Amino acid sequence: RREGMPVRELNPATDKVTRALPATAWMERGAVYFPHRPWLADLESELLQFPNGKHDDQVDALSAAVQVADERHAGAGAGMVSAPPVVG
């Protein structure tokens, strides 16, 4: 283990498509901000091709980030989030 790194293991209990559904909902309601960076085109391409694309690592990371944000904001009420995640 590395000291000082806030990393936790995520053990998925469902398939990738099911795990991506909350991220889809967040994006549809505009709760995820994507800054204009050189990597944005690759991320958009991967998201648009999911689940049939060649790569899905970024989709997995986004899904995990939304999962963690949902867990952290669970006390804000059902479906309510006090602050949307910022990806970038």
Side-chain angles (χ1 to χ4, degrees), residues 11-12 20 28 31 38-39 49 56 58 67 74-75:
N11 294 311
E28 286 175 346
W39 47 261
Q49 294 177 39
D56 59 16
Q58 294 181 96
Q67 176 188 346

Side-chain angles (χ1 to χ4, degrees), residues 5-81:
M5 292 187 68
V7 176
R8 72 176 176 138
E9 182 178 5
L10 296 176
N11 294 311
T14 59
D15 63 277
K16 290 181 183 219
V17 173
T18 301
R19 291 193 311 269
L21 292 175
T24 301
W26 280 50
M27 288 183 285
E28 286 175 346
R29 71 175 188 253
V32 179
Y33 170 72
F34 295 106
H36 293 283
R37 299 286 190 264
W39 47 261
L40 184 57
D42 289 337
L43 174 59
E44 288 175 336
S45 176
E46 188 172 307
L47 288 168
L48 292 170
Q49 294 177 39
F50 183 79
N52 300 314
K54 185 175 180 183
H55 303 286
D56 59 16
D57 293 339
Q58 294 181 96
V59 175
D60 282 344
L62 178 61
S63 298
V66 167
Q67 176 188 346
V68 169
D70 271 344
E71 290 170 2
R72 287 187 178 175
H73 295 96
M80 299 297 293
V81 177

